[in-house]
Amino acid sequence: PYTDAPPGAQSTKTRASKRDMPPWFVDKHIGIQKYKNDPSLTDEEIATIVKWVDNGALQGNAADMPPMPKVEDMSTWRIGTPDIVVQYPAYKMPAAGPDLYGTLTAPFGNTEDRYIKAIQSRVVDQGSRKVVHHALSYAVDPDDDNDGGDDAGGGSGLFLVEYASGKNATIYPEDTGMLLKAGQNARVSYHFHSIGEVTDAKIELGVVFYPKGFVPKHRQWSKQLGQESAPDLDIPANTIVRRDGYTRLNIAAKLIAWQPHTHIRGKYQCLELIYPGEPVKTETVTCANWNYNWHTIYNYQDDVAPIVPAGTLLHVITWYDNTTANRFNPDPKNWVGAGTGRTIDEMGFSWIGWYDLTDEEYKTELAARKASQQPSTTQQQQQQQQ
């Protein structure tokens, strides 16, 4: 109701202006600007909010008020009703102690090979949300006892999806999927931390399949790429540091999603493409500010998703802010180094979603993209007349 608006008006203005509300941190001045899941406000909408607050946050004509929008339940499945829901065993996290890493396993229960169309990890309740730092799910064979050791990797399993704070679901593009073999188990590699009270950490994995017998044209991949050389990460006190990571794609590909990742001193991250050949050509695809509470996946619209040749370098550029200007920084007076687990340590990479292309598919898709970008005859005539 309107009575709730004035007390929070200034906060609304600030958060809307900074694009913290709704959370969407893509830099509007660099790279691709068309995404399938973009909830952001337009510049005009933000200007309207700012003007309303500056003018006293007055109530308009009550007769013109639209119906109250339905508040979306963020704890529900974002992929629709799953065909399979895997419930990992609950883990009792003690009230105090060091961060814990390990794996939990549960059966998928599928009796035939099926291709995944959409997938999502979620925590079951608020208590779990507080203690689960991240959770990486894999598909593993029933006799696979290699859990990756103390670093809580997936062993020899196939990576499926990550859970992290504020992360949205993974919905694959049309005719693209990932194969889940019959009889496999789900394994989650977890990082939990204590919150001062005993808490059951409960994680679920939901899967939506393509119809039985359907084989998609492309196989989806999602991996941590462009990671910098973590052991020598060096962030002195009261400084801003840039680090660079590179991954070479040995097969032509279509990039369908990008998600930055770092920890609480992360400030900003970019994905640049370095194309093979001479002279060297580079393209900055996406840049975004970083907010540790929102691990947002940026899904490119089909007509702008990067199509890259074999030999392309993915160049991930990450800036870390270890100063007082970073409101999430717990201690800007201290040096920070690398760590794959603890939140107070740092790391940097990008989650990249893509599918491979044959040489012929690459040539066909690239030609179609170039043709779509050419102005029509009518547009050319109009430009000549101006």
Side-chain angles (χ1 to χ4, degrees):
Y2 170 75
T3 52
D4 293 339
Q10 287 297 329
S11 176
T12 298
K13 171 186 170 180
T14 300
R15 296 184 66 191
S17 298
K18 291 183 177 180
R19 298 193 178 278
D20 288 341
M21 184 187 75
W24 186 258
F25 308 107
V26 164
D27 191 319
K28 295 285 187 176
H29 306 288
I30 300 176
I32 293 172
Q33 297 299 322
K34 296 173 64 178
Y35 299 88
K36 295 180 177 179
N37 57 323
D38 184 353
S40 63
L41 301 174
T42 65
D43 291 342
E44 293 76 15
E45 289 170 332
I46 292 175
T48 298
I49 293 172
V50 171
K51 183 178 179 180
W52 172 70
V53 175
D54 288 345
N55 288 337
L58 302 176
Q59 184 176 19
N61 187 342
D64 295 332
M65 184 181 295
M68 286 291 291
K70 182 179 179 181
V71 178
E72 191 173 11
D73 184 355
M74 298 299 291
S75 67
T76 60
W77 293 110
R78 321 294 289 173
I79 55 175
T81 303
D83 295 311
I84 286 178
V85 175
V86 176
Q87 295 180 330
Y88 291 111
Y91 187 94
K92 190 172 292 297
M93 191 65 185
D99 287 14
L100 297 182
Y101 310 88
T103 59
L104 301 168
T105 302
F108 276 108
N110 59 312
T111 57
E112 57 186 326
D113 292 356
R114 296 285 297 274
Y115 277 90
I116 298 171
K117 185 177 183 179
I119 190 167
Q120 177 188 351
S121 290
R122 70 175 188 179
V123 292
V124 176
D125 50 36
Q126 287 299 321
S128 299
R129 189 178 306 279
K130 293 177 181 178
V131 300
V132 179
H133 173 277
H134 72 250
L136 308 180
S137 285
Y138 300 80
V140 299
D141 293 332
D143 57 353
D144 184 344
D145 57 2
N146 177 15
D147 65 3
D150 292 339
D151 64 355
S156 56
L158 172 67
F159 173 74
L160 297 174
V161 70
E162 176 201 36
Y163 166 81
S165 177
K167 186 159 183 171
N168 41 332
T170 299
I171 301 174
Y172 304 148
E174 184 177 356
D175 216 5
T176 302
M178 185 176 291
L179 178 62
L180 180 65
K181 296 180 180 179
Q184 286 190 308
N185 287 333
R187 173 177 293 154
V188 64
S189 166
Y190 63 77
H191 170 190
F192 299 154
H193 45 208
S194 298
I195 59 171
E197 59 185 61
V198 176
T199 307
D200 284 339
K202 293 178 284 188
I203 306 168
E204 293 182 337
L205 179 65
V207 177
V208 173
F209 289 123
Y210 280 102
K212 291 183 179 181
F214 180 83
V215 178
K217 183 178 180 180
H218 299 289
R219 183 175 181 180
Q220 157 82 14
W221 298 100
S222 179
K223 293 186 178 181
Q224 303 173 0
L225 301 180
Q227 187 155 1
E228 88 255 325
S229 180
D232 64 353
L233 181 59
D234 181 4
I235 310 175
N238 298 302
T239 60
I240 294 177
V241 171
R242 168 180 165 167
R243 293 299 297 255
D244 298 73
Y246 302 86
T247 298
R248 185 180 190 272
L249 295 180
N250 297 317
I251 300 174
K254 187 169 186 176
L255 308 186
I256 58 179
W258 174 73
Q259 181 219 309
H261 181 86
T262 177
H263 282 181
I264 52 181
R265 291 168 184 85
K267 177 181 180 65
Y268 190 77
Q269 191 174 98
C270 290
L271 173 63
E272 179 186 68
L273 303 178
I274 304 175
Y275 295 104
E278 295 289 345
V280 175
K281 178 186 175 184
T282 64
E283 179 185 5
T284 302
V285 177
T286 313
C287 292
N289 292 305
W290 172 250
N291 184 315
Y292 186 75
N293 295 314
W294 295 97
H295 291 63
T296 303
I297 304 171
Y298 300 102
N299 296 294
Y300 301 116
Q301 289 192 17
D302 295 335
D303 62 335
V304 296
I307 302 166
V308 301
T312 299
L313 283 179
L314 304 180
H315 178 200
V316 175
I317 311 165
T318 305
W319 284 265
Y320 301 91
D321 185 352
N322 192 21
T323 73
T324 55
N326 180 354
R327 60 191 176 96
F328 299 110
N329 193 352
D331 188 1
K333 300 186 299 296
N334 274 336
W335 171 89
V336 181
T340 58
R342 297 189 310 169
T343 309
I344 60 173
D345 296 324
E346 275 303 337
M347 64 190 314
F349 59 80
S350 289
W351 285 100
I352 305 291
W354 82 96
Y355 58 79
D356 296 333
L357 298 171
T358 65
D359 290 341
E360 190 61 34
E361 287 173 334
Y362 168 72
K363 293 176 183 177
T364 300
E365 289 220 22
L366 187 62
R369 175 69 57 82
K370 289 180 177 179
S372 69
Q373 294 172 344
Q374 295 297 322
S376 65
T377 302
T378 302
Q379 289 173 325
Q380 290 175 339
Q381 291 173 344
Q382 290 174 343
Q383 290 170 357
Q384 292 170 359
Q385 294 170 359
Q386 292 176 352

